[in-house]
């Protein structure tokens, strides 16, 4: 049961604090699709743009979007995934949820009829019919707060999984990507990151995700791609260094320095294993025998 807390499942003010800095600022150091999550790399000569498209293709494939008529993207960012999904001829309805006004505006700017973007949390979303596919990349990290107990975090994550399971049509699939704590204890988390980069957000742990999904969603695929995210952060940091003067003109010296520190510190966290990056595929556990026989 969802509570009435306004920030339950993600704080709009905290999300807008981070993501609504300036779209033009993010354009300086992200790839041209404005994909702001870990890429999926192949080989030393791979490019950031290609690795980001490969990541998007991974989630579309794991959510079985090629078979779907409808897709929900929880935390759709600036819309790279829903835009790519719109190229699937069988996909008639695509809904993206975001708490960022700037991201919603960017997605609306695509002018793609089958894409609907909503400025709302998953806790507010009320679909009028089921989805065949659900994807969530980089939103799960915002669902819990640093002051939440382990029990509260698990209950929140379980609510999310149960909600998604209820939204999925028979045969539906979900693909999830999230930061997680690795070897670092919760109390060792960076105060700088918690207060100046991602306020009102706390990372999950793998065992918390497993406990939350148990009996609600079956995990069919799981991998820790922390080094993929380290490489992604390194690419973003190089891009920002290369265009630093432009960044300062857009957002000022203080904000630029804050992001430089954030990109470097987070990269180190992934390299050392203090934090990880999970890509998880799931399906509801309550599946009829007739469906399971086709797996």
């Amino acid at each position: 049961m969802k509570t009435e807390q306004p920030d339950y499942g993600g704080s709009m003010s905290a999300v807008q604090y981070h993501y609504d800095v300036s779209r033009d600022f993010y354009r300086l150091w992200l790839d041209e699709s404005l994909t702001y999550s870990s890429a999926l790399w192949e080989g030393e000569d791979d490019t950031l743009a290609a690795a980001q498209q490969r990541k998007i293709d991974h989630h579309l494939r794991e959510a079985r979007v090629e078979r779907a008529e409808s897709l929900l993207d929880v935390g759709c960012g600036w819309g790279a995934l829903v835009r790519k999904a719109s190229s699937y001829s069988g996909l008639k309805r695509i809904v993206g949820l975001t708490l960022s006004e700037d991201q919603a505006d960017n997605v609306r700017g695509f002018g793609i009829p089958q894409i609907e973007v909503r400025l709302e949390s998953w806790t507010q979303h009320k679909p009028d019919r089921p989805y065949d596919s659900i994807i969530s990349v980089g939103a799960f990290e915002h669902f819990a707060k640093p002051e939440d107990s382990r029990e509260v975090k698990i209950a929140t994550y379980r609510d999310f999984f149960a909600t998604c399971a209820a939204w999925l049509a028979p045969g539906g699939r979900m693909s999830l990507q999230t930061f997680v704590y690795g070897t670092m204890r919760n109390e060792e988390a960076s105060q700088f990151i918690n207060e100046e980069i991602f306020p009102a957000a706390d990372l999950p742990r793998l065992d918390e995700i497993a406990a939350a999904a148990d009996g609600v969603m079956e995990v069919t695929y799981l991998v820790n791609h922390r080094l993929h995210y380290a490489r992604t952060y390194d690419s973003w940091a190089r891009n920002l260094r290369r265009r630093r003067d432009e960044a300062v003109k857009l957002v000022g010296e203080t904000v630029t320095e804050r992001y430089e520190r954030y990109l470097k510190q987070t990269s180190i966290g992934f390299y050392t294993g203090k934090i990880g990056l999970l890509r998880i595929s799931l399906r509801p556990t309550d599946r009829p025998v007739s469906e399971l026989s086709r797996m």
Side-chain angles (χ1 to χ4, degrees):
M1 180 71 65
K2 301 178 181 66
T3 73
E4 296 303 317
Q5 299 175 35
D7 288 344
Y8 176 73
S11 165
M12 178 176 285
S13 61
V15 167
Q16 292 184 359
Y17 166 82
H18 183 86
Y19 295 94
D20 291 0
V21 171
S22 164
R23 197 185 315 171
D24 288 337
F25 170 65
Y26 281 102
R27 288 189 193 282
L28 295 178
W29 47 278
L30 300 181
D31 72 300
E32 63 181 20
S33 74
L34 283 178
T35 301
Y36 189 28
S37 53
S38 176
L40 183 57
W41 298 89
E42 280 189 4
E44 294 182 2
D45 297 329
D46 205 2
T47 66
L48 177 61
Q52 290 292 18
Q53 288 303 308
R54 187 177 301 110
K55 179 271 301 295
I56 289 171
D57 289 340
H58 164 82
H59 288 293
L60 294 172
R61 182 173 61 253
E62 289 298 308
R64 295 188 175 182
V65 172
E66 77 281 357
R67 305 184 187 182
E69 292 186 1
S70 59
L71 164 68
L72 173 67
D73 186 353
V74 180
C76 65
W78 283 283
L81 190 146
V82 293
R83 188 170 197 169
K84 180 65 177 291
S86 69
S87 67
Y88 285 69
S89 59
L91 203 54
K92 308 303 182 186
R93 180 171 62 111
I94 303 169
V95 178
L97 305 183
T98 179
L99 296 178
S100 162
E101 292 182 352
D102 188 66
Q103 291 179 342
D105 181 69
N106 193 67
V107 177
R108 293 188 192 105
F110 297 159
I112 300 175
Q114 64 264 49
I115 297 177
E116 176 189 0
V117 63
R118 299 187 182 185
L119 191 67
E120 63 184 25
S121 167
W122 63 271
T123 64
Q124 303 165 312
H125 187 53
K126 305 292 183 185
D128 57 5
R129 55 195 186 278
Y131 294 101
D132 298 309
S133 301
I134 297 177
I135 296 173
S136 185
V137 178
F140 202 85
E141 299 92 325
H142 296 280
F143 293 170
K145 301 180 289 295
E147 62 269 25
D148 289 344
S149 66
R150 169 182 164 81
E151 292 73 23
V152 168
K153 291 176 70 176
I154 291 174
T156 301
Y157 303 148
R158 190 172 184 81
D159 189 7
F160 174 68
F161 286 134
T163 299
C164 289
W167 286 341
L168 280 170
R173 293 292 183 271
M174 180 177 183
S175 190
L176 175 72
Q177 180 170 305
T178 180
F179 277 70
V180 289
Y181 282 115
T183 60
M184 181 170 61
R185 297 193 302 271
N186 295 44
E187 59 269 24
E188 295 175 328
S190 166
Q191 185 176 358
F192 162 70
I193 297 293
N194 285 348
E195 294 180 358
E196 298 189 43
I197 302 298
F198 295 115
D202 195 34
L203 303 184
R205 291 192 174 278
L206 174 57
D207 67 305
E208 293 169 348
I209 295 173
D214 186 37
V216 178
M217 286 280 205
E218 178 185 0
V219 174
T220 59
Y221 172 86
L222 185 150
V223 64
N224 183 354
H225 273 169
R226 64 180 176 85
L227 296 181
H228 287 254
Y229 221 159
R231 183 173 174 181
T232 304
Y233 268 94
D234 287 348
S235 294
W236 291 340
R238 284 194 299 271
N239 290 342
L240 183 55
R241 277 197 304 272
R242 189 161 51 243
R243 306 188 69 177
R244 192 180 195 281
D245 290 345
E246 296 171 76
V248 172
K249 288 180 181 178
L250 280 171
V251 299
E253 183 72 31
T254 300
V255 172
T256 301
E257 288 181 350
R258 185 167 76 229
Y259 274 76
E260 288 173 325
R261 179 182 174 188
Y262 146 63
L263 295 174
K264 180 178 180 180
Q265 184 171 311
T266 307
S267 172
I268 292 171
F270 282 118
Y271 276 122
T272 58
K274 291 184 176 181
I275 50 178
L277 185 280
L278 299 185
R279 306 192 214 262
I280 311 174
S281 304
L282 310 105
R283 66 184 178 200
T285 56
D286 185 17
R287 298 290 87 178
V289 174
S290 59
E291 181 191 333
L292 295 177
S293 67
R294 297 194 299 269
M295 297 300 140

